[in-house]
Amino acid sequence: MAETEQAIPDQGFIDHATQIYKELSSIPTITGGSLYTKKNGKDNEAFEFVVTSKWSQRDLEKKEKRVFQRNHIATFSGDSRKLISVQEPSFPVELQNVQLSSTSPSGKYQAIIRKIPATKKDDEKQFIEIWSCNNIIKSIDIKAADKHGDINEDSQFGSLQWSPSEKYLLYVAEKKKPKKVSYFDSSKSEESSEKSKPETGFQFDYESDWGELLVKKSHPILTVLDIHKGDISVIDGIPDDLSVGQAIWNPGETGVVFSGWKHEPYRLGLIYCTNRRSGIFHISLDGTNFEQLSLPDNAVLSPRFNPQMDKLIYLARNTKGVHACCLKLMEFDWKARTTVTIVDIVDYPRDDGFAGIYCSGLPERCWSFDGKRIILGSFWASSLKILAIDVESKSVMNLTKEDGCWNVLDVQKDLILASFSSPSCPNRLLIRPLTSSGDGADLDWTVIANMEDHQDIKWENITLSPDGDKTKSYEAVLIQPTNLEKDVQLVVHPHGGPHSNYPSNYMIEFAGLCKLGFAVLSVNYRGSLGFGQKVLESLLGNVGTQDVGEVKYALDKVLETRKFDKKNVFVMGGSHGGFIACHFIGQYPDFFSAVAIRNPVINIVSLIGTSDIPDWGFEEAACDFDDDLLADAETYAKLLSHSPISHVKKIVTPTMLMLGEVDLRVPPSQGKELYRTLKARGVDVRLLIYPDNSHPLNKVEAESDAFVNISRWFNKHRN
C-alpha cells in the first residue's frame, strides 16, 4: 500500500518510535525477591524484615539486560499485621555474573554461583562462593575441581540449597563427560588412567539435550559441597536414565528429594512443557536407598516440605495430553508414606471464579509458618492471582482483589512478598501479612517500591459468550491510549501456546504501541490457561478454526461497540499467536491492513520433524502421538488441514516475519517456508532473522529492533 497523508512520514515516525522505546526501556522489571527477619533490638514488640528484590533493566547501549538488587528494611508490629516503616538505606547494587544465590537458614552466610565470562586467554568458568556478612570465606573453581560439568542455573533444573546445619550445600550440575578424541589424534595420552582415558572415535556422536532454552542441558546430577572441607561429592545410586532437578534436603539431612525427568525413549523439549515423563524421588546421601514418592503415570514438579518437615507437597498431572494444563496439588505424608490430593483438576470455573491451578511451579518458600496453608500464584481468567490453600479443609482463598499479574516472590514468618503489574502499571513490590485461616482476603497490600503508572494508558477485561453459553465464555484484554480524540487504530494480539495466557501484565511492546496511538486487543481464547480443564481441552482438534473464530469474534465485538478505525486493523502474534495470525490473513484476506509475526507455526507437518516438541502438533490436532513419529497419509492430511499453509494462496496482506536463528521450538524453517511462498506470489513480505536468539526473541537488540520495525510496518501500511 502506498503511504497516505494520514500516515506519519516514515523517518519522523521511526524517530518517534525509537524515542518512546528508549524511555520505556529505562523502566526495570522485578524478577525475584526474598524476606529475612530479625528482632528489632530497640523494641521487643517489633520485627525488622530485610526485603531484598532483584530487578532487570534493558541497556540499549550495551545491548544487554542489567540485573541489580535493591534492599529495603520494613518494620512491622509484633503480630506482623501493621507496617510501621519502610526504608531503603542504600543505592541499588548491580549483580555481575551472578547465576544463583542462596542465604543460609540462620542468615549468616550466602552462597553464590558466579560465572566468569571467557577471555582470549581463559575459557568461561564457574565459581561457588561462600560469603559472610563481612567477607568472602571460600571460592571454589568448578572446572579445576573436575567433579562434574557446568552447574545448572536455569529455573527447570537449578537448585542451590543449604542444609539445615549449614554444613553442606546441595546443587545440580551436568554429569561429567569423558573426553572424546579422533582415531587419528596424535595427542592421545597413553599415561591416562583407565578411569580418565579418552574415548576414541565418538567425538561426532549426537548428544540430545532438553531443547529450547535448555541447550547442552542433557544429564543433570546431584552434587553436595562440604562447606568446611571444600570437598565436592556426586550422589550415586540414581538411575542413569534420569535428569534431576529442583532438589531439596530431606528431614534429618540424610538424603535428598528431587524431581527427575526420564530420558527414554529420547529427550523432548522441557521448558513450558509440564507433560514430560517424570517423578518425585528420594535418594539417601550414600546412594543406597532410592525410591519414587510420587504416583506412577504422573508428570510432576516443585517438591516442597512444610516447616515441620513431615509433609511434602508437589504439583502433578497426567503424562498424556497437551504441553500445559490444569495441575493437581498433591501431599505426601513423610511418616505414613501416603499420598492425598489437596486440590484436584477443575473442569469448569466454580461459582467464586476458581478454575484450578495453572502455574509453572511453586515458590521456593510457599508454606505458612504453622504448615497449614500454601501460598502460590495461578492464572485466574485474564489475571495471575495469589492463592492461599488450606491443606486441611482444602479450601482456596484469593488474596488479590485487583486484576492484573501478581507473582509470589517469597513467604516468610507469615508475610508474603509479591510483585504486581498491569498494562498501565509497570511494577510494584508489595508485602502483606497472612492472617489466620478464613479471613484476610480483603486486607490491603503495602507497596514497598513501585514505578510510576502510565496515566496515558487505560485497560479493561471483556467477557465474551458468543452463543450465551457460560461454559464457552472467554476473555479479552483491551489496552488503549486515554488522550486521543480521533479514531484509534487497533492491533489484535492472540497469545502463543496455545495453552498459555495473557494475564494482564505490563508489556513494553503494548505500552509502546499505545503511546504511538494504537490500541491492543489481547484475546484469551478457549484453550488458554485459567478457565478450566474442559474449556482448555475444547481446542484440541479445533486449532485453526475455534481459536481463530473466537479471536475474530472478540475483534468484531470490539469494533462494533468501541470507536476504532475499522479501515485500519492490524494483527501480530508469536508462536501459536503467529499461527492464528497467519490463519487470519488466509481466512480473511481483505480484513487486515498488515500483519507482524514472530516465530510462527506455518506447517504442522514439517514442524513435527524439526521441533524439539514434535508431540505438540499431534496433540493439538487430536491425533495419536507415538514416539516413533510415524504417521499415515490420513494423519498428515489432517495436520496439514489445521495449518495456516493450507490457506496461503489466499494471502494478500503485507506480512513481516521475525525469526530467531537458533529457535528450537519453532525453527526458522517454518517462517522461511511462508516467506518463500509469499515472495513468489508477489505479496509484500519482509523477513527479519535475529542471530543468537531463540523462541522468545528476548535479547535486548532483537526486542528493541522488533518493536520499531513492527510499529514502522503498521504505520507504512495504514489505509
Side-chain angles (χ1 to χ4, degrees):
M1 297 178 188
E3 190 179 89
T4 65
E5 291 181 358
Q6 281 119 348
I8 301 173
D10 194 51
Q11 189 55 54
F13 183 86
I14 293 171
D15 292 343
H16 185 43
T18 302
Q19 183 58 37
I20 285 174
Y21 194 86
K22 284 181 178 179
E23 293 171 1
L24 293 177
S25 66
S26 66
I27 300 172
T29 301
I30 300 171
T31 61
S34 54
L35 287 166
Y36 303 98
T37 180
K38 60 180 180 180
K39 260 286 179 72
N40 189 332
K42 297 180 180 180
D43 183 359
N44 291 330
E45 296 300 320
F47 280 91
E48 277 189 350
F49 288 86
V50 179
V51 182
T52 300
S53 55
K54 187 185 294 185
W55 303 66
S56 175
Q57 181 176 335
R58 298 167 179 86
D59 187 326
L60 297 180
E61 295 297 325
K62 289 189 173 183
K63 300 176 182 177
E64 65 182 24
K65 291 180 181 176
R66 309 282 291 274
V67 179
F68 59 89
Q69 180 174 298
R70 295 177 66 178
N71 295 301
H72 294 81
I73 297 176
T75 304
F76 279 82
S77 60
D79 59 4
S80 295
R81 288 172 180 249
K82 184 178 179 181
L83 179 67
I84 298 173
S85 65
V86 176
Q87 302 174 49
E88 187 170 14
S90 61
F91 288 103
V93 177
E94 185 168 10
L95 303 176
Q96 295 185 340
N97 303 319
V98 174
Q99 295 182 303
L100 288 174
S101 64
S102 178
T103 301
S104 66
S106 68
K108 295 179 179 179
Y109 306 104
Q110 185 176 52
I112 289 175
I113 307 299
R114 193 183 302 276
K115 179 184 72 173
I116 306 300
T119 64
K120 291 182 179 180
K121 294 182 179 180
D122 299 308
D123 294 334
E124 181 179 285
K125 292 184 178 182
Q126 275 184 318
F127 287 83
I128 300 177
E129 299 174 354
I130 308 297
W131 290 77
S132 72
C133 295
N134 300 316
N135 63 316
I136 184 169
I137 299 172
K138 199 176 292 289
S139 179
I140 299 172
D141 185 336
I142 292 302
K143 188 173 182 180
D146 199 30
K147 294 288 186 177
H148 50 70
D150 290 342
I151 295 174
N152 292 79
E153 85 295 346
D154 56 86
S155 60
Q156 186 69 45
F157 300 114
S159 183
L160 189 62
Q161 299 283 326
W162 287 85
S163 65
S165 67
E166 301 187 353
K167 293 180 180 179
Y168 304 103
L169 192 67
L170 170 67
Y171 61 95
V172 175
E174 281 296 303
K175 185 177 182 180
K176 183 180 177 181
K177 296 178 181 178
K179 183 179 179 181
K180 297 177 181 180
V181 297
S182 165
Y183 291 114
F184 307 99
D185 190 342
S186 59
S187 65
K188 288 185 290 186
S189 173
E190 296 180 0
E191 299 179 2
S192 299
S193 66
E194 196 64 34
K195 189 174 182 180
S196 62
K197 191 174 182 179
E199 294 183 348
T200 302
F202 293 95
Q203 74 270 35
F204 299 116
D205 279 28
Y206 171 68
E207 294 183 357
S208 66
D209 56 30
W210 288 105
E212 174 72 18
L213 301 182
L214 295 172
V215 174
K216 296 183 179 179
K217 309 289 177 69
S218 60
H219 197 168
I221 57 174
L222 293 176
T223 51
V224 176
L225 169 68
D226 185 311
I227 302 292
H228 302 291
K229 296 179 180 178
D231 295 338
I232 296 173
S233 58
V234 174
I235 298 179
D236 295 320
I238 299 172
D240 208 42
D241 67 340
L242 280 182
S243 285
V244 310
Q246 304 172 358
I248 55 176
W249 291 96
N250 75 350
E253 208 173 291
T254 59
V256 175
V257 172
F258 64 92
S259 301
W261 291 268
K262 298 179 181 179
H263 300 170
E264 301 302 328
Y266 46 76
R267 297 170 180 84
L268 290 173
L270 191 51
I271 202 79
Y272 311 131
C273 298
T274 58
N275 59 337
R276 301 299 176 225
R277 302 177 183 94
S278 52
I280 302 294
F281 301 94
H282 173 251
I283 182 78
S284 58
L285 289 181
D286 61 8
T288 59
N289 180 22
F290 174 81
E291 59 180 325
Q292 181 166 344
L293 306 179
S294 59
L295 301 176
D297 300 321
N298 272 356
V300 298
L301 65 156
S302 295
R304 302 286 188 266
F305 273 109
N306 65 354
Q308 293 72 29
M309 298 295 285
D310 60 358
K311 300 289 176 64
L312 176 75
I313 58 164
Y314 60 90
L315 298 170
R317 55 160 292 179
N318 196 293
T319 55
K320 299 291 184 181
V322 296
H323 65 276
C325 67
C326 190
L327 301 171
K328 295 186 288 186
L329 180 64
M330 311 298 292
E331 181 185 80
F332 177 79
D333 188 304
W334 190 256
K335 296 178 181 177
R337 317 306 278 182
T338 56
T339 300
V340 297
T341 301
I342 302 298
V343 179
D344 210 339
I345 304 297
V346 179
D347 288 335
Y348 296 101
R350 298 175 184 172
D351 292 341
D352 62 358
F354 177 66
I357 296 173
Y358 305 85
C359 61
S360 58
L362 297 171
E364 184 172 330
R365 294 195 291 196
C366 60
W367 285 89
S368 62
F369 188 68
D370 61 7
K372 293 182 179 180
R373 282 168 293 168
I374 298 157
I375 313 302
L376 58 85
S378 176
F379 291 115
W380 182 306
S382 295
S383 288
L384 185 63
K385 299 285 191 177
I386 295 177
L387 311 179
I389 299 174
D390 190 305
V391 296
E392 294 178 353
S393 68
K394 302 182 181 179
S395 62
V396 179
M397 179 184 291
N398 174 16
L399 300 180
T400 44
K401 294 183 295 181
E402 186 175 353
D403 286 339
C405 185
W406 295 80
N407 284 289
V408 181
L409 303 178
D410 196 13
V411 181
Q412 174 75 338
K413 294 286 181 70
D414 284 346
L415 276 182
I416 307 170
L417 182 67
S419 65
F420 171 80
S421 77
S422 74
S424 60
C425 172
N427 268 283
R428 293 181 197 154
L429 181 68
L430 307 104
I431 197 168
R432 64 154 282 176
L434 179 64
T435 56
S436 59
S437 181
D439 69 347
D442 294 329
L443 282 181
D444 290 332
W445 290 78
T446 300
V447 176
I448 300 296
N450 67 298
M451 298 293 108
E452 186 176 348
D453 289 5
H454 294 313
Q455 300 299 326
D456 54 350
I457 296 174
K458 62 181 181 179
W459 67 283
E460 61 179 305
N461 282 331
I462 302 170
T463 301
L464 300 133
S465 300
D467 56 6
D469 185 349
K470 289 187 177 181
T471 64
K472 296 181 179 179
S473 296
Y474 60 101
E475 293 186 353
V477 182
L478 179 61
I479 310 159
Q480 57 186 317
T482 59
N483 54 359
L484 288 183
E485 296 179 359
K486 63 179 183 179
D487 289 353
V488 177
Q489 294 168 350
L490 187 62
V491 180
V492 62
H493 172 267
H495 63 71
H499 310 298
S500 181
N501 181 291
Y502 172 61
S504 304
N505 62 310
Y506 180 79
M507 291 182 64
I508 185 173
E509 186 177 48
F510 290 178
L513 285 171
C514 284
K515 289 177 179 292
L516 286 170
F518 295 95
V520 179
L521 180 68
S522 190
V523 184
N524 285 316
Y525 46 86
R526 284 186 303 148
S528 303
L529 301 178
F531 293 85
Q533 181 65 13
K534 291 296 185 183
V535 178
L536 182 150
E537 291 174 349
S538 71
L539 185 57
L540 303 184
N542 296 308
V543 289
T545 51
Q546 178 176 298
D547 46 3
V548 173
E550 289 179 349
V551 176
K552 183 63 165 58
Y553 179 84
L555 174 58
D556 290 342
K557 277 294 180 184
V558 167
L559 290 175
E560 288 174 12
T561 58
R562 308 294 199 281
K563 192 178 180 182
F564 289 117
D565 183 353
K566 295 179 177 62
K567 294 181 180 179
N568 286 291
V569 180
F570 305 92
V571 59
M572 67 179 186
S575 194
H576 190 83
F579 172 94
I580 294 174
C582 288
H583 267 292
F584 261 158
I585 60 176
Q587 296 184 35
Y588 307 95
D590 300 318
F591 191 89
F592 297 95
S593 298
V595 61
I597 44 180
R598 308 182 189 202
N599 295 320
V601 175
I602 301 300
N603 185 342
I604 300 177
V605 175
S606 57
L607 181 72
I608 60 176
T610 56
S611 173
D612 68 331
I613 53 169
D615 55 325
W616 178 90
F618 288 92
E619 296 290 351
E620 297 306 326
C623 297
D624 292 332
F625 171 72
D626 291 318
D627 291 321
D628 58 18
L629 294 176
L630 297 177
D632 55 25
E634 183 179 348
T635 299
Y636 283 129
K638 186 177 181 181
L639 295 175
L640 188 62
S641 71
H642 285 283
S643 303
I645 199 72
S646 63
H647 299 283
V648 71
K649 291 184 179 180
K650 295 180 285 184
I651 294 177
V652 294
T653 307
T655 302
M656 183 167 71
L657 295 128
M658 294 156 284
L659 309 178
E661 191 175 51
V662 293
D663 185 355
L664 298 179
R665 186 62 37 104
V666 183
S669 56
Q670 287 284 299
K672 289 178 181 178
E673 188 174 339
L674 178 63
Y675 171 78
R676 289 169 182 145
T677 302
L678 297 183
K679 191 76 173 173
R681 296 181 61 80
V683 177
D684 187 358
V685 61
R686 185 182 179 194
L687 174 61
L688 305 175
I689 297 181
Y690 295 103
D692 199 31
N693 271 263
S694 54
H695 196 56
L697 290 184
N698 61 356
K699 295 203 170 182
V700 170
E701 188 173 22
E703 270 188 335
S704 54
D705 181 82
F707 171 78
V708 176
N709 271 312
I710 290 170
S711 307
R712 182 183 184 184
W713 188 254
F714 291 165
N715 179 65
K716 176 184 176 182
H717 293 287
R718 296 183 188 190
N719 290 313

